[in-house]
Amino acid sequence: MLVLLFRLLSFLPLPVLHALGVAAGWLAYLASPRYRKHLRNNIHQAGLGQYLSTAIGEAGKNILELPFIWCAAPERVLRSGRIENWAVVEAARAKGKGLLFLTPHLGCFEISAQLASVHEPMTVMYRPPKQAALKPLIEGARARTNLSLAPANLSGVRSLFKVLKRGGAIGVLPDQVPQNGEGVWADFFGKPAYTMTLPGKLAEMTDAAIVLAYAERLPRGKGYVLHMSSFELPAGLSPQQQATAINAAMEKLILRCPAQYFWSYNHYKVPSGVTPPDAQSDGKEN
């Protein structure tokens, strides 16, 4: 039923979906104390509370645009976006290295890979949805022309490594909370967040060029602009230092359009089996 609903909604114009999204965002905010707590706490933690009301509506747009991004005809989806600063990618490609695209949960992150893959075939890391019914829908949407999926497990990591070693392009969401053993505690807007070490390891092991990317959502459903910028990790950094540097780079991207970050995502959660950062500090003092 949910898949059918998504397919039906995909026929609506994007401005209508975004208008519905604003209403849905406020409904979710008012109806769910847990959702409201995460969104409020995270945006205030970042010192960006002045964007709260706009962020509530943008979060709703993020959900209601999914039927369009996932189910609409690929040509229609691609017409809704344009790329800015693709010269950054061309300069990185000219070095003859693999390309590592890092995209935070900012703006319409679901369309970023689709837009970029028109010019550069890409493999993206993928974590299957908790609802099994959505799996065929999401996998079909994310594995369109020039896009391949790598599962978020050891096999997927090996695939990403191989793509980079042969000079290909991959995409990773660096602000997604990893599982136990796959991350370190690094500050994110002044608070320790369990942060994946994979991007730093891949860049170090393959000498890949890093490109930061995010798709800004334009007002009144006018579409999206995919922004590109280059980023370099200094050599010789520890995994902790790499994660801290990448988090700092993500913060700078988020500050470009703060209301469009997915603030309701529980970025500061403690994954199962991971020692909380305060407990680690206590242990060192003792």
Side-chain angles (χ1 to χ4, degrees):
M1 181 63 73
L2 185 58
V3 173
L4 176 61
L5 177 61
F6 267 51
R7 295 196 185 282
L8 291 174
L9 287 173
S10 72
F11 290 102
L12 293 176
L14 189 57
V16 174
L17 289 172
H18 277 176
L20 292 173
V22 172
W26 277 98
L27 181 61
Y29 181 80
L30 295 173
S32 172
R34 184 179 180 183
Y35 174 85
R36 182 166 62 249
K37 178 182 177 182
H38 283 155
L39 199 158
R40 286 179 60 89
N41 287 354
N42 289 342
I43 200 168
H44 282 292
Q45 171 63 40
L48 298 168
Q50 67 270 33
Y51 296 99
L52 176 61
S53 349
T54 310
I56 293 169
E58 292 294 327
K61 291 179 184 179
N62 185 279
I63 301 302
L64 264 292
E65 69 194 0
L66 290 179
F68 171 78
I69 302 299
W70 288 348
C71 301
E75 316 82 62
R76 186 175 161 221
V77 176
L78 294 176
R79 281 199 304 269
S80 70
R82 60 181 175 85
I83 300 176
E84 186 178 83
N85 281 354
W86 185 255
V88 169
V89 180
E90 293 177 337
R93 173 54 75 204
K95 298 177 181 178
K97 304 176 181 179
L99 298 177
L100 171 55
F101 288 88
L102 297 183
T103 303
H105 288 78
L106 178 64
C108 183
F109 47 90
E110 287 286 349
I111 201 175
S112 299
Q114 288 194 43
L115 290 174
S117 66
V118 172
H119 307 280
E120 183 71 47
M122 188 183 306
T123 300
V124 295
M125 177 163 272
Y126 163 70
R127 183 167 292 173
K130 294 181 180 179
Q131 296 184 20
L134 286 176
K135 187 176 179 180
L137 175 65
I138 298 175
E139 289 183 349
R142 289 178 174 171
R144 292 188 171 183
T145 304
N146 286 343
L147 265 179
S148 301
L149 301 178
N153 54 32
L154 183 57
S155 172
V157 171
R158 287 172 177 163
S159 297
L160 295 178
F161 177 78
K162 290 178 182 177
V163 171
L164 287 178
K165 287 297 285 183
R166 64 172 181 260
I170 69 168
V172 177
L173 291 167
D175 57 343
Q176 192 162 30
V177 179
Q179 297 178 352
N180 183 21
E182 299 174 355
V184 294
W185 290 103
D187 275 5
F188 184 70
F189 284 112
K191 182 177 179 179
Y194 196 63
T195 305
M196 64 168 65
T197 55
L198 178 62
K201 289 178 179 178
L202 288 172
E204 184 176 39
M205 294 172 68
T206 66
D207 197 29
I210 301 176
V211 176
L212 308 182
Y214 72 98
E216 180 183 4
R217 187 180 298 112
L218 298 177
R220 296 182 293 281
K222 291 184 178 179
Y224 310 92
V225 177
L226 180 59
H227 300 276
M228 302 283 187
S229 57
S230 59
F231 175 71
E232 289 190 16
L233 275 175
L237 297 183
S238 67
Q240 173 82 47
Q241 292 170 326
Q242 289 175 342
T244 299
I246 290 173
N247 275 358
M250 295 304 104
E251 290 176 8
K252 290 180 180 179
L253 289 187
I254 293 164
L255 291 175
R256 294 181 184 180
C257 48
Q260 293 191 24
Y261 188 62
F262 206 40
W263 294 109
S264 59
Y265 180 60
N266 190 9
H267 193 57
Y268 299 107
K269 68 181 178 181
V270 180
S272 176
V274 175
T275 303
D278 51 352
Q280 289 183 342
S281 299
D282 293 341
K284 289 178 182 178
E285 291 174 1
N286 294 333

